[in-house]
Amino acid sequence: IIPFILYLLSCVCGSFIQLSSQSYNTKQNNTAWGRSQKAGKAEHANDLFESMVKQYKNGNKNLKPNIVIINAVINACVYTYGDWDEHQRAMEIAHSQLKLLESSEYGIADHLTYGSFLKVCANQMPDSDTRRQIAEVIVKKCIRDGQFGNLVLQQLRTMGPPETYQALVGHDMEEEITLKDLPSSWHSNVVEGKWARRRNH
């Protein structure tokens, strides 16, 4: 969990955190940790997030959560492994983070939020009508917010089925399309790469 803690802290505080060389080397392994197959990962991430919120509300303004932090928690839900209860808990945590963005001061959902949430659904739910209905709601919401980014498109293609993809995107799954082939309003608020990080600090 230590790499994830360092990652979350760096997301919140940015340049305010001075990491030691050992910590920096550990931080470099965050991606590997995030994708490792460990049980309890979503719960650990959520516990840490709640601890940060508590400390922020108690006066530590350097620990104010933001969209990068919330996306990191959702991403932990993507790569949580275990039994049925573990899958259910990962979905609950991801959903609570998404709902939090509707009424909190911590930011608004972006294309990574929606794309990661779809990936949580793909990894933690069996292919079913319920999963397809959730995907439809999420996609319509991200289109409304102008946050239909590459991760959302990629995840929809991965999740399928073809008829659902066709209904939501308006293109056949076999077509090689990019965001430029979709209405500009769908991705009008998408900010990717280094500019996204700068905007959220």
Side-chain angles (χ1 to χ4, degrees):
I1 194 73
I2 290 176
F4 189 72
I5 293 173
L6 292 172
Y7 174 60
L8 288 189
L9 288 173
S10 65
C11 289
V12 173
C13 302
S15 60
F16 292 109
I17 287 185
Q18 300 297 321
L19 299 176
S20 67
S21 58
Q22 180 179 0
S23 297
Y24 180 81
N25 290 333
T26 304
K27 179 174 174 286
Q28 294 298 81
N29 293 322
N30 284 328
T31 299
W33 181 89
R35 296 181 180 180
S36 62
Q37 297 187 14
K38 292 183 181 297
K41 187 181 300 178
E43 197 70 66
H44 285 310
N46 190 61
D47 288 346
L48 180 58
F49 176 80
E50 291 182 351
S51 177
M52 287 181 165
V53 170
K54 182 177 180 179
Q55 291 183 59
Y56 169 67
K57 290 182 176 179
N58 285 339
N60 189 343
K61 299 308 180 184
N62 284 335
L63 286 182
K64 179 181 180 180
N66 59 24
I67 184 60
V68 183
I69 289 289
I70 291 173
N71 286 346
V73 176
I74 294 175
N75 191 63
C77 297
V78 172
Y79 296 104
T80 289
Y81 296 83
D83 58 18
W84 175 251
D85 289 340
E86 191 87 24
H87 293 308
Q88 287 287 93
R89 184 58 180 148
M91 280 301 307
E92 290 172 2
I93 291 170
H95 181 254
S96 69
Q97 294 293 315
L98 192 62
K99 290 292 290 183
L100 181 65
L101 291 171
E102 295 179 1
S103 59
S104 78
E105 60 180 301
Y106 306 142
I108 58 175
D110 63 12
H111 63 290
L112 295 177
T113 314
Y114 291 121
S116 296
F117 188 85
L118 287 174
K119 201 165 186 177
V120 175
C121 294
N123 284 11
Q124 307 300 349
M125 297 182 68
D127 187 12
S128 61
D129 288 342
T130 299
R131 193 178 82 173
R132 287 190 283 274
Q133 289 168 4
I134 292 174
E136 181 177 350
V137 170
I138 294 301
V139 170
K140 288 181 177 179
K141 191 173 189 307
C142 83
I143 288 174
R144 185 195 68 194
D145 293 345
Q147 294 287 359
F148 192 103
N150 284 306
L151 182 59
V152 175
L153 180 61
Q154 173 189 339
Q155 197 53 47
L156 281 177
R157 187 185 297 275
T158 301
M159 291 175 70
E163 56 269 23
T164 299
Y165 180 90
Q166 169 79 41
L168 293 174
V169 180
H171 291 266
D172 190 272
M173 188 179 282
E174 299 302 317
E175 290 184 62
E176 293 293 334
I177 66 170
T178 68
L179 296 184
K180 293 181 180 179
D181 299 307
L182 302 174
S184 59
S185 61
W186 286 22
H187 49 87
S188 59
N189 293 320
V190 171
V191 181
E192 300 196 77
K194 63 181 181 180
W195 300 111
R197 293 299 297 270
R198 290 180 181 179
R199 182 189 66 175
N200 288 308
H201 282 311

